[in-house]
Amino acid sequence: MKRVVALAAAVLVLAGCGSTEGAAPAAQPPAASALGSPPPISPSGAFNDTDVMFLQMMVGQYGPAAELLDLARSRSTDQKVRELAAAIAVTQADEARTMRDWLATWKQAPSPAADPHLHEGHGGLPATGPKEIEALRGAAAADFDKTFLNLLIGHQHQAVEYARMELGGGIHSGALELATRVDQTRSSEIAMMLGMVA
Amino acid sequence: MRKRLAVPVLSILAVAASLLVGVPADAHGYISSPASRQANCAQHKTSFDCGDIVWEPQSVEAPKGSMQCNGGGSRFAILNDNSRPWPTTSVGNNVTFNWVLTARHRTSTWEYFVGSTRIGVVNDNGATPGATVSHNISLGGRTGRITVLARWNVYDTGNAFYSCVDLQVGGGGGGNPTPSPTPPTNPTPSPQPTSSPNPPSGTTWTAGTAYAVGATVTYAGLSYRCLQAHTALAGWEPPNTPALWQRV
């Protein structure tokens, strides 16, 4: 039953996240992905709902991450943590700009418009909300790094999930390339941060 | 009857799920420190191949009640393999277990076991976990190499998330070392590749290298100067990261 509910929610989410209205036609009908292999990369710059959803979910992720990263850059007492936070902050700012530009070019909303409750339960919306950012802001100095690292590790895991989703179903070559880099960089960042939190 | 139904239902869901390739994995949490088995896998700190768990350490979800590190079933079975040389963390009798969460489920309990003995339980009574989750658990005077099984029991589903943590307890003392059948412990994990912060100018960009501001590298035949100190990662190649590297 839970699966059915989750699936229904997922369908609604997809409906909410991506709309093909006004989109360039997908190069391949969705049935192709039911066979288990990703659809072919579009040679013509076309995109599909998965590309749109990937960009929207990523764009939704950057804001909370930027807040966590800003706090870490100013409050962490560990130079390695500050340096990593600073590098993640600037690289993600560039990614976010690229993704917003594509969504605008494609005439798609910059963020998933669906009711956020629909995303609960399948890792949909960012795990980092105002409550978590407040918790980090209020963390005692001695607990700051641990709090920051555990929050950002969870946050970056979500980006990996979105990237894997895109790599399995997207067709836009630029979005696929970006997803590959999101997957690589977040996985490496998580490994570094797990080492720092230990 | 249930079983017969299950197959068509599952295959319908499988087809539907792949149609919607869109849906990210249902993934939620694990112990980050002391490093759980899946946390060690995610850091590539094991001497063996962990398989898929490497990129989704948060996904060890299974029905409640299992005493296995993967929660039972066939997925991530490597986590159950006690014959593997899992890295251990040296600890004292009181250990703070820290969790990474990627979704905040209402929680009934957090349970900790050594063998079949439950050594700790924290009852959240259905509350949603806070921003971070840490529990201080007494190991009850146990010493030597032990494996702690942790279970995060979700309040409103039949599932739990499983993490196993390999510990070397009290082994760091002076006069009375506990013989351990396991490989050397790894008390100070440092996944950062050791490298000079200022490698010679003009070397080839390499992931894992720490670059200082002003360092120069070549990548794909072009030269770049570092704009911001960082340790290079796969995916942060100079042409992809104008915020970190400037063409020279």
Side-chain angles (χ1 to χ4, degrees):
Chain A
M1 186 56 192
K2 183 206 162 203
R3 279 172 184 273
V4 174
V5 171
L7 188 72
V11 172
L12 289 171
V13 165
L14 266 192
C17 285
S19 161
T20 44
E21 268 180 63
Q28 193 71 18
S33 52
L35 302 175
S37 54
I41 295 173
S42 162
S44 59
F47 58 91
N48 66 11
D49 282 352
T50 302
D51 295 311
V52 173
M53 183 144 174
F54 167 60
L55 296 183
Q56 289 177 333
M57 291 173 104
M58 287 302 300
V59 164
Q61 251 226 340
Y62 288 118
E67 294 197 59
L68 296 180
L69 292 162
D70 275 352
L71 286 169
R73 292 170 81 169
S74 60
R75 283 198 55 199
S76 175
T77 52
D78 182 336
Q79 200 221 323
K80 278 185 182 304
V81 172
R82 283 199 310 270
E83 189 177 291
L84 180 62
I88 294 174
V90 296
T91 50
Q92 290 195 173
D94 280 344
E95 287 175 9
R97 207 167 300 124
T98 301
M99 292 192 184
R100 287 197 190 95
D101 285 352
W102 285 346
L103 286 170
T105 305
W106 299 352
K107 298 183 167 36
Q108 301 291 314
S111 60
D115 178 345
H117 293 292
L118 294 178
H119 295 262
E120 284 177 3
H122 71 103
L125 275 193
T128 320
K131 201 179 73 172
E132 285 72 34
I133 292 163
E134 264 327 292
L136 181 61
R137 211 182 297 279
D143 290 334
F144 182 87
D145 281 1
K146 187 179 83 175
T147 304
F148 165 70
L149 291 167
N150 281 309
L151 283 174
L152 190 62
I153 290 168
H155 196 79
Q156 302 302 64
H157 275 306
Q158 281 205 319
V160 172
E161 290 171 16
Y162 301 162
R164 297 267 166 159
M165 167 196 85
E166 167 67 12
L167 292 171
I171 59 168
H172 185 266
S173 60
L176 287 164
E177 194 208 323
L178 204 42
T180 300
R181 283 196 275 127
V182 167
D183 186 15
Q184 288 176 329
T185 54
R186 274 34 166 212
S187 298
S188 299
E189 291 162 13
I190 288 164
M192 289 177 74
M193 290 191 285
L194 283 171
M196 292 172 176
V197 84
Chain B
M1 189 58 193
R2 282 183 73 91
K3 276 200 171 170
R4 267 210 228 153
L5 269 178
V7 174
V9 168
L10 281 178
S11 51
I12 288 164
L13 287 175
V15 170
S18 50
L19 274 170
L20 301 164
V21 208
V23 184
D26 209 16
H28 313 272
Y30 64 104
I31 292 178
S32 57
S33 66
S36 56
R37 290 186 175 180
Q38 54 262 56
N40 276 310
C41 288
Q43 293 175 77
H44 304 280
K45 284 176 67 182
T46 58
S47 57
F48 49 90
D49 180 7
C50 290
D52 281 352
I53 192 68
V54 166
W55 73 268
E56 48 176 339
Q58 71 275 34
S59 300
V60 188
E61 179 180 21
K64 288 172 185 164
S66 173
M67 294 301 287
Q68 292 190 286
C69 296
N70 78 335
S74 57
R75 211 166 173 222
F76 308 134
I78 184 100
L79 297 173
N80 299 335
D81 190 347
N82 291 322
S83 72
R84 303 280 183 167
W86 292 102
T88 61
T89 304
S90 290
V91 294
N93 187 60
N94 285 295
V95 181
T96 301
F97 293 93
N98 298 297
W99 290 74
V100 161
L101 306 185
T102 64
R104 297 176 196 286
H105 286 288
R106 294 181 67 190
T107 300
S108 57
T109 55
W110 310 80
E111 296 177 293
Y112 295 85
F113 295 86
V114 175
S116 57
T117 305
R118 192 168 77 171
I119 59 167
V121 59
V122 177
N123 193 339
D124 279 8
N125 293 306
T128 303
T132 57
V133 174
S134 295
H135 303 127
N136 191 272
I137 303 292
S138 166
L139 300 177
R142 290 169 178 80
T143 57
R145 189 199 185 291
I146 64 171
T147 300
V148 173
L149 166 69
R151 307 198 299 208
W152 171 21
N153 294 303
V154 177
Y155 182 75
D156 43 11
T157 79
N159 282 353
F161 293 90
Y162 293 81
S163 278
C164 275
V165 183
D166 296 289
L167 301 173
Q168 183 71 34
V169 193
N176 192 16
T178 311
S180 165
T182 54
T185 58
N186 196 357
T188 51
S190 59
Q192 301 326 314
T194 52
S195 58
S196 148
N198 266 318
S201 280
T203 53
T204 304
W205 179 90
T206 312
T209 304
Y211 292 106
V213 174
T216 57
V217 295
T218 57
Y219 183 86
L222 300 173
S223 293
Y224 297 86
R225 182 170 54 239
C226 180
L227 297 175
Q228 182 169 320
H230 67 282
T231 297
L233 305 177
W236 279 355
E237 294 79 8
N240 295 329
T241 49
L244 299 176
W245 294 101
Q246 180 183 43
R247 270 285 305 281
V248 289

